[in-house]
Amino acid sequence: TDNPPGPPVITEALRDEYEEAHGAALWCRAHIARGLPAREVAVLFRARAQAGPVAEALALAQIPHRVLGARGPLERAVVRDALAHLTLAVNPRDRVAFARAAQAPRRGLGPAAIAAITAHASAGDGDLIAACADAEHVTSLNARQRAAAIALTATARALSARADDYD
């Protein structure tokens, strides 16, 4: 993306889904009070069962809201794509995560390119991100696919570095 980097991700360990929902509502209220347009605020949750506590906490905080989508969050392609990128960042040998992350967003790495990179990784220690970084040695890739593989490397390594900050 050409967008500037956003703010860092913040993590907190909370007791249960109700405390999580309350914390999310307080965060929303504070940021809206500071001038963040409410239409730019979203609360994402891991399980459909959290929709109730989140909606209740937002209502108690007097924050107008609506729950979008009849599907659970993990049924949305964009969420599965993001999870694939995060999984690959912490486990560069996960072939399923690699196959999904390599194609989201579309970057010109189709099934043949993914198979070639996977085979290159298998010839080494199985690290798919290292294989992408070494794309210049994957002879069946064209120049655009090599560039896409190297870009995927940068994304995965950046996410991995961020994950290391929370260990």
Side-chain angles (χ1 to χ4, degrees):
T1 179
D2 292 332
N3 293 333
V9 173
I10 299 169
T11 61
E12 284 186 66
L14 301 169
R15 267 192 323 251
D16 57 29
E17 67 271 22
Y18 297 100
E19 191 173 298
E20 289 174 357
H22 178 72
L26 290 177
W27 185 94
C28 292
R29 186 171 60 193
H31 283 77
I32 291 169
R34 283 190 223 132
L36 179 66
R39 70 180 175 280
E40 293 184 20
V41 176
V43 177
L44 305 176
F45 39 85
R46 295 182 313 271
R48 205 178 291 171
Q50 290 177 293
V54 169
E56 182 179 328
L58 291 170
L60 288 171
Q62 298 180 339
I63 299 171
H65 64 278
R66 60 187 167 139
V67 178
L68 299 177
R71 298 182 296 176
L74 294 179
E75 295 172 28
R76 297 173 109 35
V78 68
V79 173
R80 290 192 312 267
D81 294 344
L83 288 174
H85 280 278
L86 294 170
T87 299
L88 187 60
V90 298
N91 181 5
R93 290 170 180 79
D94 188 317
R95 290 175 180 220
V96 173
F98 172 71
R100 184 166 196 108
Q103 296 183 69
R106 291 183 189 265
R107 60 181 92 229
L109 295 175
I114 291 169
I117 295 167
T118 301
H120 188 67
S122 295
D125 66 357
D127 186 323
L128 294 152
I129 298 307
C132 284
D134 193 38
E136 64 192 44
H137 294 108
V138 182
T139 57
S140 61
L141 297 180
N142 63 37
R144 186 170 144 236
Q145 291 168 322
R146 287 185 181 115
I150 290 167
L152 178 58
T153 301
T155 299
R157 287 184 174 164
L159 288 171
S160 181
R162 293 300 304 257
D164 290 343
D165 290 345
Y166 296 100
D167 282 347

